[in-house]
Amino acid sequence: MNNVIACVDGSRASPSVCDYAAWASRRMDLPVMLLHVSTPLETVTTQQVRQELTLGHREALHGELEQAEQTRRQLLHKQGQAILNDAADRLMRQGILEPGNLLRQGDIAHVLRELQGEARLVVVGRRGNDSGDDMRHVGSHLETIIRTLGPKLLIVPEHYAPPERFLIAYDGSEAANKVVARVAQSRLLSGLSGHLLMVGKDTADNRAMIHAAQSILERQGFTMQAEIRPGTVEEAVTAYQQDHDIQLLVMGAFGHSKVRQFFVGSTTTRMLKTCRIPLLILR
């Protein structure tokens, strides 16, 4: 696992994906691998042609369809390579030398699962090329990627801003404590100001849990603030992020806590639509 994999599709999110991948590469001292996955073509089969055409036209049109399909494949390949070349140019202007590139065809979630062994971090855009012009639209493959991808996953908005402060959505669960342990050893987040937020009642038990997590991170050199807020997870996290100008949200993608259910469950799409900062998911 020795690469930052940056998923680029030529959408408006692709420049931001490149910029965050370059930021991560510098902080983690890892190379960047650019990945473009094109959607397979839907082909018209010979059987369909025979069913729909009279005998005099079948063979001629079938040959034309095969030629058109081949031309489309070649154009998709050229388009994908052009997207990768543009992304590589952007990375090199930021000092990332010789970024690698992969051009694949298929489903991006499936391709990323195959590449898990090569990825320390995967960077994807919050919107994909399938999202149209609706700025609130979330890429259709994103929830599948969140649910299945093993390495760290960084989901980024369309505009790049180098993170200076991060927020861990914390609930005291085993899953949340694993996130704290991962962050404590993270080169990606080292040196950034950290915040811990627990959503719930301000009880002695909750204070003990969040302060224990705070101590773990502070012993590793992080400057941390910890707070407990009432309300729903969505409202509390959003308000805290705005109050403290947080530029990166961190959470886990395992367990069954209400924090996980909020982010990686029925409300994932709503969160990704409303959140305008990167989301780092640790598994």
Side-chain angles (χ1 to χ4, degrees), residues 30-60:
L30 292 173
V32 177
M33 179 69 70
L34 293 164
L35 172 66
H36 175 74
V37 181
S38 61
T39 303
L41 296 170
E42 293 184 5
T43 61
V44 179
T45 65
T46 302
Q47 183 178 3
Q48 289 173 309
V49 173
R50 287 175 177 171
Q51 289 173 348
E52 296 170 6
L53 297 174
T54 60
L55 180 62
H57 297 87
R58 287 177 194 162
E59 296 303 324

Side-chain angles (χ1 to χ4, degrees), residues 143-256:
E143 287 197 34
T144 302
I145 293 171
I146 293 172
R147 293 175 187 276
T148 61
L149 191 62
K152 297 176 183 176
L153 177 66
L154 182 61
I155 304 169
V156 303
E158 292 184 6
H159 301 289
Y160 170 71
E164 298 178 358
R165 289 170 292 280
F166 67 88
L167 170 64
I168 301 175
Y170 180 79
D171 64 0
S173 66
E174 180 182 356
N177 288 325
K178 288 180 180 178
V179 170
V180 169
R182 292 284 303 277
V183 171
Q185 303 300 320
S186 173
R187 297 176 65 183
L188 181 66
L189 302 177
S190 177
L192 305 184
S193 297
H195 294 252
L196 282 161
L197 175 64
M198 177 179 282
V199 181
K201 295 181 179 179
D202 189 357
T203 65
D205 286 345
N206 282 345
R207 286 196 299 272
M209 285 189 291
I210 198 169
H211 289 153
Q214 181 180 9
S215 296
I216 291 172
L217 292 162
E218 288 178 341
R219 286 197 296 270
Q220 295 299 318
F222 286 91
T223 300
M224 299 298 302
Q225 295 184 44
E227 186 173 324
I228 300 173
R229 288 193 177 189
T232 66
V233 176
E234 180 179 4
E235 292 174 351
V237 169
T238 301
Y240 190 95
Q241 179 259 316
Q242 294 173 349
D243 291 345
H244 295 271
D245 190 23
I246 303 296
Q247 296 106 5
L248 178 64
L249 185 58
V250 183
M251 60 157 289
F254 35 60
H256 299 283

Side-chain angles (χ1 to χ4, degrees), residues 3-6 24 28 119-123 151-154 188 280:
N3 289 293
V4 174
I5 293 184
M28 302 171 75
R120 185 80 59 85
L121 176 71
V122 175
V123 185
K152 297 176 183 176
L153 177 66
L154 182 61
L188 181 66
L280 176 63

Side-chain angles (χ1 to χ4, degrees), residues 31-99:
V32 177
M33 179 69 70
L34 293 164
L35 172 66
H36 175 74
V37 181
S38 61
T39 303
L41 296 170
E42 293 184 5
T43 61
V44 179
T45 65
T46 302
Q47 183 178 3
Q48 289 173 309
V49 173
R50 287 175 177 171
Q51 289 173 348
E52 296 170 6
L53 297 174
T54 60
L55 180 62
H57 297 87
R58 287 177 194 162
E59 296 303 324
L61 184 55
H62 178 57
E64 291 179 16
L65 288 170
E66 287 184 336
Q67 182 60 46
E69 183 179 318
Q70 179 64 26
T71 300
R72 290 178 64 197
R73 285 199 186 97
Q74 293 172 352
L75 290 173
L76 278 177
H77 182 87
K78 290 180 179 179
Q79 180 191 47
Q81 195 59 60
I83 289 170
L84 289 170
N85 291 341
D86 287 344
D89 289 343
R90 189 177 185 93
L91 287 172
M92 287 187 288
R93 289 196 298 269
Q94 299 182 59
I96 307 301
L97 302 178
E98 298 182 355

